């Protein structure tokens, strides 16, 4: 895998809001990432924020944290690679409910696509490069590989990788989910480039593993990745993705 | 010696049937548009001749039986499932879904169900979902993996059947034509949803005369609006340029364009601008299949690439069904009769909600 | 009556379109709804059509009438008053 360099990151999960400045816990009374507010991730007013479906809002929040500080290279040619663990599962159910209520909702329908989670990120930050959207529990590994290949094939020089695990609480027990669902939601965004500049280098050493392993509902890899990056530390993080054996390796350029 | 990515085998199911008959009928100017109402919505659609194929299981059986995987090493093969919504039946009928263990709106689960039907364990299973461009991006991912030698074969499966879910949604967005899509036509009034499914086996090897090569692919994002394309066509133009660059080809080598051509006011206007940015006024013949087959969504992007490949093999670009008089500002050569393809290369375009644009370049090896 | 309807409409618009940063007092009943400072786009307009049908049993037969009906909150209230089915 062509090595990737982390330029910036943002994340929202149960612990709080994560950025290069550290982790900010949720406000008292805020139940977690599902209740993220616009003012916590963006300085400017953005009326569309509240309209976003839950998955789209989390992806937007993590991306905003990663991209807002600025000082990053222009984003117009940047690619976007999204790993969406559950796709638009919850939004699909909400749209179906609007059909059953007799008034199909155009707004909800326009978000019943796994790829709608990159739509507002692209629009707000003007990100016009190549796109990849993969679904499923091991999409996160494939999406780093996608980003690496985009750069290796000279299709772009930087990529925003977004890892999204988002399902509305009311749907977690849904019989049609067909596999265990994580008990809380998270979204991570890593701005990666093919050129280092004193940043840490990430590579993923992964091999297809035991495909019969049941999907693991809890994945701490990306939090660990972010923490190592914040510390400027090298390290190895075991992949906790069901279908893969391997690790994410962070090294300093020498 | 150069070893390009080759389209080895393919098959489709669409409103006009399987691949060979579909292309013959398309060239003859046929259309499978069926007047409504459908799913209680007063619009035309293009249905499968056999509605059983709206079930993923039946469809997978049919399409997998059309390809010969005996020379394929599963552990060195990627199964790439491409769908915007895929099988949405579990959401529509949850009670019925309980009796079908695999039924789920989860696209990865659907990919695994196709793998199970194939009776093999593939080295990797990838579920791609970038709205109506899903199939094209699946081809691009396969092209990269094969070029890098990470896999020896890619088995692409595209699946986006009609449903009340999808038809009601497009209707709520005001995107549907009442009587049937008329791509690029002055009287066009929207898109026509269509049933679509497709399978393709790609490999990388020495090419022989007559092989269809996946020469290159590229994508971009308009970054404009959730559902409406960027008005100036710059995003789709960027994807087309990226695909040609990836193929190490120039625009003037393109012998035909398989347009996205949905029949909506905005898409067709935007696409004409995109193609003009790419080609000035030196357009090769251009066509949209959606006036005959409807908009077959994400899985349909794969279906249309496969049809495009067969047209390239036959050196004939079908007419654009539903087209009578141009309704775009640019003199794009869309027409109501078929034309010869004089250069052995085709540019295939697709675009989807969320501003995604994807382009694939096919070449016939001489 | 009209003023009451306008106030109700403001709240319904905020709820339906999920305008999380906006309060009813922020909405001027006479300034343009679409393309104004509320960030209302074409999909929101379609949601407003659904709102009219659902809450007031009023339909908008074509785009041109729609444009006038959604010109402002007051225009919406007037359209409802004129077209509401008993």
């Amino acid at each position: 895998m062509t090595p990737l360099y982390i330029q910036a990151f943002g994340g929202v999960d149960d612990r709080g809001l994560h950025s290069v400045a550290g982790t900010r816990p949720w406000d008292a009374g805020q139940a977690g990432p599902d209740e993220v507010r616009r003012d916590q991730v963006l300085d400017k007013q953005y009326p569309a924020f509240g309209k976003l479906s839950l998955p789209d809002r989390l992806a937007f929040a993590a991306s905003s944290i990663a991209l807002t500080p600025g000082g990053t290279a222009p984003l117009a040619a940047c690619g976007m690679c999204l790993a969406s663990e559950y796709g638009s599962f919850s939004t699909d159910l909400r749209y179906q409910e609007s059909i059953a209520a007799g008034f199909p909702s155009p707004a909800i329908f326009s978000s019943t696509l796994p790829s709608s989670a990159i739509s507002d990120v692209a629009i707000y930050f003007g990100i016009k490069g190549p796109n990849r959207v993969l679904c499923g529990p091991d999409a996160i590994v494939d999406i780093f590989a996608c980003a690496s290949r985009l750069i290796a094939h000279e299709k772009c020089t930087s990529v925003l990788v977004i890892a999204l695990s988002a399902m509305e609480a009311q749907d977690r027990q849904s019989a049609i989910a067909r596999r265990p669902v994580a008990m809380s939601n998270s979204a991570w965004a890593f701005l990666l480039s093919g050129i280092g500049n004193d940043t840490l280098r990430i590579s993923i050493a992964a091999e297809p593993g035991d495909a019969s392993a049941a999907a693991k509902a809890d994945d701490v890899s990306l939090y660990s990745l972010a923490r190592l990056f914040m510390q400027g530390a090298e390290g190895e993080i075991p992949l906790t993705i069901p279908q893969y054996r391997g690790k994410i390796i962070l090294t300093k350029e020498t | 010696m150069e070893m390009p990515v080759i389209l080895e085998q393919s098959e489709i199911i669409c409103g006009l049937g399987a691949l060979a008959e579909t292309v013959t009928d398309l060239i003859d100017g046929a259309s499978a548009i069926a007047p409504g109402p459908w799913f209680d919505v007063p619009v035309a659609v293009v249905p499968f001749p056999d509605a059983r194929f709206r079930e993923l299981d039946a469809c997978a059986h049919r399409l997998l039986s059309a390809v010969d995987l005996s020379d394929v090493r599963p552990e060195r093969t990627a199964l790439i499932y491409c769908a915007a919504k895929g099988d949405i039946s579990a959401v529509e009928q949850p009670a019925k879904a309980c009796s079908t263990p695999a039924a789920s709106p989860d696209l990865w689960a659907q990919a695994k169900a196709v793998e199970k039907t194939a009776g093999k364990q593939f080295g990797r299973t990838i579920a791609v979902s970038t709205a109506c461009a899903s199939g094209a991006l699946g081809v691009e991912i396969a092209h990269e993996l094969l070029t890098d030698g990470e896999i020896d074969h890619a088995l692409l499966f595209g699946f986006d059947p009609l449903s009340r879910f999808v038809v009601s949604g497009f209707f709520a967005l005001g995107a549907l034509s009442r009587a049937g899509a008329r791509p690029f036509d002055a009287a066009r009034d929207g898109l026509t949803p269509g049933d679509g499914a497709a399978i393709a086996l790609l490999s990388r090897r020495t090419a022989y005369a007559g092989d269809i090569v996946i020469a290159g692919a590229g994508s971009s994002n308009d970054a404009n609006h959730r559902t409406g394309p960027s008005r100036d066509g710059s995003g789709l133009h960027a994807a087309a340029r990226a695909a040609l660059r990836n193929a190490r080809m120039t625009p003037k080598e393109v012998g035909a364009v398989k347009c996205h051509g949905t029949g909506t006011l905005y898409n067709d206007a935007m696409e004409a601008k995109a193609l003009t940015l790419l080609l000035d006024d030196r357009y090769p013949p251009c066509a949209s299949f959606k006036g005959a087959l409807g908009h077959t969504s994400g899985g349909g992007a794969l279906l249309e690439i496969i049809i495009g490949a067969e047209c390239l093999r036959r050196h004939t670009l079908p007419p654009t069904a539903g087209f009578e008089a141009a309704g775009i500002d640019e003199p794009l050569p869309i027409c109501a009769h078929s034309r010869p393809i004089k250069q052995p290369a085709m540019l295939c375009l697709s675009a989807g909600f969320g501003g995604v644009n994807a382009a694939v370049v096919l070449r016939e090896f001489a | 009556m009209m003023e009451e309807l306008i106030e109700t409409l403001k709240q319904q618009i905020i709820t339906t379109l999920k305008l999380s940063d906006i309060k009813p007092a922020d909405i001027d009943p006479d300034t343009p709804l679409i393309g104004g400072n509320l960030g209302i786009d074409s999909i929101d307009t379609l949601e407003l059509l659904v709102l009219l049908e659902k809450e007031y049993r009023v339909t908008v037969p074509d785009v041109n009438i729609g444009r006038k009906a959604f010109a402002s909150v007051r225009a919406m209230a007037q359209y409802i008053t004129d077209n509401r089915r008993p």
Side-chain angles (χ1 to χ4, degrees):
Chain A
M1 183 182 125
T2 296
L4 302 164
Y5 298 86
I6 302 176
Q7 305 298 338
F9 79 88
V12 288
D13 69 6
D14 259 1
R15 300 171 185 86
L17 305 111
H18 309 280
S19 72
V20 292
T23 296
R24 221 171 81 211
W26 298 105
D27 291 351
Q30 236 180 342
D34 292 12
E35 293 183 359
V36 63
R37 294 190 316 268
R38 190 270 313 157
D39 62 274
Q40 292 175 305
V41 303
L42 270 188
D43 289 332
K44 289 194 306 189
Q45 280 240 350
Y46 184 49
F49 188 84
K51 300 183 213 172
L52 296 172
S53 65
L54 178 65
D56 298 1
R57 195 161 64 246
L58 293 179
F60 187 85
S63 302
S64 300
I65 296 171
L67 300 176
T68 306
T72 60
L75 295 167
C78 186
M80 278 194 301
C81 293
L82 168 69
S84 179
E85 183 159 10
Y86 304 112
S88 57
F89 191 96
S90 284
T91 321
D92 292 352
L93 292 176
R94 299 296 86 75
Y95 178 67
Q96 183 65 29
E97 286 159 12
S98 78
I99 295 179
F103 295 97
S105 163
I108 301 178
F109 180 72
S110 71
S111 294
T112 56
L113 288 167
S115 52
S116 68
I118 59 171
S119 181
D120 277 76
V121 178
I123 294 166
Y124 191 91
F125 293 99
I127 306 177
K128 299 186 176 182
N131 291 163
R132 301 279 183 266
V133 178
L134 304 185
C135 301
D138 51 8
I140 179 59
V141 176
D142 290 331
I143 219 70
F144 276 107
C146 278
S148 175
R149 283 198 305 273
L150 279 173
I151 290 172
H153 288 254
E154 298 181 345
K155 295 178 178 178
C156 54
T157 54
S158 61
V159 182
L160 184 69
V161 165
I162 304 172
L164 178 61
S165 178
M167 198 184 281
E168 290 180 34
Q170 59 178 308
D171 303 321
R172 289 207 175 103
Q173 304 299 322
S174 171
I176 56 173
R178 305 298 183 192
R179 52 189 167 87
V181 173
M183 287 315 293
S184 63
N185 295 324
S186 64
W188 289 90
F190 287 87
L191 182 63
L192 305 170
S193 69
I195 301 168
N197 56 352
D198 299 333
T199 63
L200 285 169
R201 202 176 79 168
I202 170 186
S203 59
I204 296 196
E207 300 162 356
D210 179 4
S212 66
K216 190 159 184 247
D218 221 351
D219 175 31
V220 299
S221 302
L222 295 176
Y223 174 67
S224 305
L225 177 62
R227 221 176 37 168
L228 278 179
F229 176 69
M230 285 195 281
Q231 294 162 359
E234 297 183 306
E236 291 182 356
I237 303 145
L239 281 170
T240 56
I241 316 289
Q243 297 211 106
Y244 285 88
R245 283 188 301 265
K247 46 199 169 188
I248 300 173
I249 304 164
L250 223 61
T251 51
K252 279 201 169 80
E253 278 286 89
T254 46
Chain B
M1 182 159 190
E2 195 203 302
M3 289 219 304
V5 173
I6 312 260
L7 176 61
E8 295 281 13
Q9 303 174 50
S10 60
E11 185 53 282
I12 64 171
I13 312 175
C14 69
L16 286 175
L19 180 60
E21 61 195 343
T22 292
V23 176
T24 301
D25 289 348
L26 279 177
I27 289 171
D28 277 346
S31 167
I33 300 236
W38 290 88
F39 309 100
D40 299 318
V41 180
V43 293
V45 303
V46 175
F48 282 143
D50 183 348
R52 278 184 312 133
F53 292 127
R54 285 194 199 129
E55 286 178 18
L56 177 58
D57 197 46
C59 200
H61 270 104
R62 170 75 189 90
L63 288 176
L64 284 163
S65 70
V67 294
D68 177 6
L69 300 179
S70 51
D71 287 339
V72 165
R73 284 171 58 205
E75 68 279 11
R76 289 284 301 164
T77 301
L79 172 64
I80 303 177
Y81 185 77
C82 314
K85 295 311 299 162
D87 176 9
I88 198 65
S89 63
V91 168
E92 294 191 296
Q93 298 168 275
K96 184 175 161 211
C98 290
S99 61
T100 317
S104 170
D106 180 344
L107 296 174
W108 177 79
Q110 293 174 31
K112 298 304 275 180
V114 172
E115 183 185 43
K116 191 157 177 231
T117 304
K120 300 184 187 288
Q121 211 156 60
F122 295 111
R124 58 184 91 189
T125 313
I126 300 171
V128 182
S129 187
T130 40
C132 307
S134 301
L137 281 166
V139 170
E140 185 173 1
I141 289 171
H143 183 260
E144 285 174 356
L145 287 169
L146 286 161
T147 302
D148 289 350
E150 292 211 28
I151 54 174
D152 298 333
H153 285 94
L155 184 64
L156 286 116
F157 193 97
F159 183 69
D160 265 311
L162 292 172
S163 62
R164 177 181 303 267
F165 188 102
V166 168
V167 177
S168 66
F170 277 118
F171 189 68
L173 285 172
L176 298 182
S177 165
R178 296 280 162 160
R182 306 186 57 174
F184 302 102
D185 190 85
R188 65 187 188 276
D189 67 336
L191 66 92
T192 294
D195 275 319
I199 194 167
L201 183 69
L202 271 52
S203 73
R204 184 168 171 251
R205 57 164 170 77
T206 308
Y208 299 108
D211 277 335
I212 299 294
V213 166
I214 313 291
S219 66
S220 72
N221 196 295
D222 282 350
N224 177 62
H225 183 269
R226 321 202 100 231
T227 56
S230 152
R231 298 294 168 87
D232 64 5
S234 56
L236 186 58
H237 169 236
R241 274 222 180 264
L244 286 167
R245 186 167 55 240
N246 186 240
R248 300 204 227 287
M249 287 171 58
T250 62
K252 63 179 197 278
E253 295 174 71
V254 174
V257 181
K258 192 286 298 177
C259 298
H260 188 55
T262 58
T264 67
L265 212 57
Y266 294 130
N267 176 81
D268 297 358
M270 172 280 290
E271 191 162 7
K273 291 187 169 21
L275 283 166
T276 305
L277 285 169
L278 185 70
L279 300 153
D280 286 329
D281 55 356
R282 292 187 300 268
Y283 312 101
C286 302
S288 164
F289 304 147
K290 294 182 171 70
L293 303 179
H295 189 344
T296 48
S297 196
L302 176 66
L303 182 153
E304 290 194 356
I305 288 169
I306 291 169
I307 292 175
E310 181 58 26
C311 293
L312 193 55
R313 257 190 213 105
R314 299 192 196 189
H315 306 147
T316 307
L317 188 69
T320 296
F323 176 82
E324 283 174 24
I328 46 180
D329 294 338
E330 296 75 13
L332 210 62
I334 303 281
C335 70
H337 53 263
S338 62
R339 286 160 294 175
I341 300 177
K342 293 185 181 158
Q343 291 197 95
M346 179 182 286
L347 176 66
C348 300
L349 301 176
S350 28
F353 277 9
V356 184
N357 303 294
V360 171
V361 181
L362 305 174
R363 227 175 4 107
E364 186 187 26
F365 195 80
Chain C
M1 258 296 279
M2 183 64 78
E3 293 310 314
E4 240 182 72
L5 179 56
I6 286 176
E7 285 314 302
T8 307
L9 265 178
K10 285 187 193 177
Q11 189 54 62
Q12 286 174 326
I13 289 169
I14 289 170
T15 307
T16 301
L17 303 186
K18 303 200 179 92
L19 301 175
S20 51
D21 276 334
I22 309 283
K23 314 254 173 313
D26 297 331
I27 306 180
D28 183 321
D30 296 301
T31 54
L33 264 178
I34 301 162
N37 66 338
L38 299 175
I40 291 178
D41 68 8
S42 55
I43 297 184
D44 295 323
T45 311
L46 296 169
E47 283 291 338
L48 291 179
L49 285 176
V50 175
L51 169 70
L52 285 189
E53 220 176 306
K54 200 164 157 184
E55 301 293 337
Y56 299 100
R57 301 179 349 116
V58 162
T59 53
V60 173
D62 72 53
V63 175
N64 290 316
I65 294 177
R67 221 168 275 141
K68 289 194 213 122
F70 295 135
S72 65
V73 184
R74 191 179 302 280
M76 260 181 95
Q78 191 62 59
Y79 187 82
I80 290 168
T81 308
D82 293 343
N83 292 283
R84 187 169 207 166
R85 283 173 271 159

